[in-house]
Amino acid sequence: KFFKFIGRTTLVLSVIGALIGLFTTFYVQSVIQEVPQVTEESLKSDPSSNMYDKNGDLIWSSSDNKRVYVEYEDLPQQYIDLLLATEQKTFFEDPGFSPKGLANAFLSVVKKMLGQGEVRGGSSLEQQLIKLTVFSVDESDRTIERKIKEFYLANQLEENYDKETILEYYVNKLPMSENSFGVETLAITYYNKPLKDLTLSQIALMVGTGQAPSLYNVYDNPDEAKGRR
């Protein structure tokens, strides 16, 4: 009787698992069919046309948002090292998503259910780039369907672009302090010189600002910005 019970239970669970897997497959396929188109132009976010006075101060821009594009070759290695250490240490090895990030995100959900801490995101740089390119960053838009589309498009990025190009697009897409988009723009806004000419301390400030631009704004919250640096 015991073995019959085990056999029947296993059969029932197998059928339920198969049905859930079948439903999930059809659901994911239906969601993927509605993914937005991602073009190289939208990923690159071409820089705006700017006009400067004799002192190097910006006096006119063709865009409401200030943006100065920087090529990957011009990114200091110190900036790349600090950025990846902060955002995704295994970026160059990960397959379009971060296994460690997903595990940490799942663990944070469990802790939240137990009343310990807050839910943390586990998005890879590819997923964040997709979010900044075609989706909203509002928390109210964080739905299961949106996450599936984001995950799918992030893996498409991995298949079509090398890691250096993806990282280049990402650092130029980041919303920063003072209505600046991209790390090069913020370097010029804060220090009036390109990222490659900044000191280690200044580069650390650039990296720290990216995760919470308003909170770590040097002009509005200098102590917080310094602490984050």
Side-chain angles (χ1 to χ4, degrees):
K1 290 182 179 180
F2 173 75
F3 288 109
K4 285 183 178 180
F5 171 75
I6 293 297
R8 290 172 181 171
T9 301
T10 302
L11 179 61
V12 170
L13 292 177
S14 298
V15 171
I16 293 175
L19 291 174
I20 293 175
L22 189 62
F23 170 79
T24 302
T25 299
F26 280 112
Y27 174 71
V28 170
Q29 288 179 342
S30 65
V31 171
I32 289 176
Q33 291 177 354
E34 301 176 353
V35 295
Q37 183 179 11
V38 180
T39 64
E40 184 174 4
E41 182 180 359
S42 64
L43 287 169
K44 191 172 182 179
S45 297
D46 291 332
S48 57
S49 298
N50 300 320
M51 184 181 297
Y52 301 88
D53 64 16
K54 62 180 182 180
N55 297 318
D57 297 323
L58 181 68
I59 58 176
W60 178 85
S61 175
S62 64
S63 172
D64 291 335
N65 298 316
K66 294 175 291 182
R67 191 190 304 271
V68 180
Y69 199 88
V70 58
E71 303 286 344
Y72 178 83
E73 292 74 15
D74 292 324
L75 293 175
Q77 189 59 47
Q78 287 182 330
Y79 173 78
I80 295 175
D81 293 341
L82 288 180
L83 178 68
L84 297 186
T86 304
E87 297 282 355
Q88 186 182 349
K89 190 174 182 179
T90 54
F91 167 71
F92 282 101
E93 291 78 38
D94 290 341
F97 65 93
S98 172
K100 182 179 180 181
L102 290 177
N104 289 336
F106 176 76
L107 183 61
S108 71
V109 171
V110 175
K111 289 183 177 180
K112 174 70 174 180
M113 295 173 63
L114 298 176
Q116 302 177 3
E118 297 294 330
V119 175
R120 297 174 55 188
S123 297
S124 65
L125 294 190
E126 288 92 345
Q127 289 174 279
Q128 293 183 51
L129 175 58
I130 288 296
K131 183 192 305 180
L132 292 170
T133 302
V134 295
F135 294 122
S136 167
V137 296
D138 294 336
E139 290 191 15
S140 59
D141 293 329
R142 292 182 182 178
T143 63
I144 294 178
E145 288 189 6
R146 214 285 301 279
K147 275 295 181 183
I148 293 174
K149 294 176 182 179
E150 182 183 294
F151 190 87
Y152 172 77
L153 290 173
N155 281 275
Q156 292 297 303
L157 277 183
E158 185 74 12
E159 292 183 7
N160 291 285
Y161 300 95
D162 58 42
K163 289 288 191 179
E164 290 78 8
T165 301
I166 293 173
L167 188 60
E168 176 183 312
Y169 292 160
Y170 175 74
V171 300
N172 283 286
K173 182 79 68 172
L174 278 174
M176 310 292 274
S177 304
E178 296 301 306
N179 201 32
S180 299
F181 277 69
V183 65
E184 183 79 349
T185 312
L186 187 62
I188 294 174
T189 299
Y190 276 172
Y191 301 111
N192 197 31
K193 53 185 177 181
L195 183 68
K196 63 182 180 180
D197 293 337
L198 299 186
T199 66
L200 177 60
S201 177
Q202 293 168 337
I203 289 175
L205 185 69
M206 298 291 102
V207 174
T209 300
Q211 292 189 325
S214 297
L215 176 61
Y216 300 123
N217 186 307
V218 171
Y219 301 132
D220 298 333
N221 304 303
D223 292 338
E224 286 80 359
K226 184 178 179 180
R228 177 61 177 163
R229 181 196 65 188

